Amino acid sequence: MGKRAANFPGAMIVAASAAAAALLGAACEAEVTPPLSGAPGSAGTPATAAATAPAAIELVTAVAPPAGPELFGAPLSAAPAVPLDAVLAAPEKYAAAPVKIAARVARVCKKKGCWMTLAGEKGEPDPMVRVTFKDYGFFIPTDAEGARVTLEGVVSVSEETEAVSKHYAEDEGKDPATITGPRKKIAIEATGVELVRAGS
């Protein structure tokens, strides 16, 4: 009867579990037992305890985005913010002096947050409006896409050649054949940014 029970798979699992529990108990005991005197590497020394102790488990806690406005760079002035769509309708009008603009974050540099593109109430304009930060002095969070943004800075208007526009269109996965002739390029160098995430 004893021999038949020993050959039963369940008995083997029980035996294996008992052996594993014994090893785990020995490892835990080695971790908390004070080191014994003796030559380095002998039983009970820190070297042996470190070798037999189970690896530490690092607990990662999810961090929720901050509630309320997030401020980056210089404080914004008290001037009223102009909607991005109004700036796009007459960009030269806003290119002479710093302006405060309200928009949404369309895209963000995923490496360090050193640039973003903007979207207005009508969606993301084509070509995109790219925002950089004065003197590379601050960045924004790389997960800020979709946040409402108020920024202050200088608008610049330039002309982008057809070849360059087609190249950028290909990079964005768009059809370059839809681009004919040079296009107006609008960029903003921001001195300060205020972000408000959805739900804040």
Side-chain angles (χ1 to χ4, degrees), residues 129-199:
V129 176
R130 185 182 294 271
V131 180
T132 55
F133 309 114
K134 186 173 177 60
D135 298 329
Y136 214 56
F138 63 95
F139 304 143
I140 65 168
T142 57
D143 62 348
E145 291 179 359
R148 287 181 288 127
V149 61
T150 304
L151 63 93
E152 199 153 24
V154 177
V155 176
S156 63
V157 183
S158 59
E159 189 175 86
E160 192 171 79
T161 66
E162 180 178 345
V164 171
S165 294
K166 286 180 179 290
H167 174 74
Y168 285 151
E170 290 176 347
D171 287 348
E172 296 172 36
K174 298 178 181 178
D175 182 6
T178 60
I179 298 172
T180 56
R183 298 201 299 174
K184 187 177 293 184
K185 179 182 177 182
I186 301 173
I188 303 171
E189 184 182 58
T191 55
V193 173
E194 179 183 282
L195 286 173
V196 179
R197 301 177 190 256

Side-chain angles (χ1 to χ4, degrees), residues 6-154:
N7 292 330
F8 191 73
M12 296 176 65
I13 294 173
V14 171
S17 299
L23 287 174
L24 182 59
C28 293
E29 183 180 352
E31 185 178 15
V32 298
T33 301
L36 302 177
S37 59
S42 61
T45 63
T48 304
T52 56
I57 299 175
E58 182 179 355
L59 299 179
V60 178
T61 304
V63 179
E70 300 172 63
L71 305 176
F72 305 92
L76 303 185
S77 72
V82 180
L84 177 66
D85 293 335
V87 174
L88 296 178
E92 290 83 358
K93 174 182 175 182
Y94 298 96
V99 61
K100 193 173 179 182
I101 300 172
R104 286 194 177 273
V105 179
R107 305 179 197 178
V108 181
C109 168
K110 293 301 183 184
K111 291 185 178 180
K112 60 176 80 174
C114 62
W115 58 261
M116 65 178 169
T117 63
L118 301 179
E121 294 300 321
K122 299 178 181 178
E124 188 175 4
D126 183 26
M128 74 178 79
V129 176
R130 185 182 294 271
V131 180
T132 55
F133 309 114
K134 186 173 177 60
D135 298 329
Y136 214 56
F138 63 95
F139 304 143
I140 65 168
T142 57
D143 62 348
E145 291 179 359
R148 287 181 288 127
V149 61
T150 304
L151 63 93
E152 199 153 24
V154 177

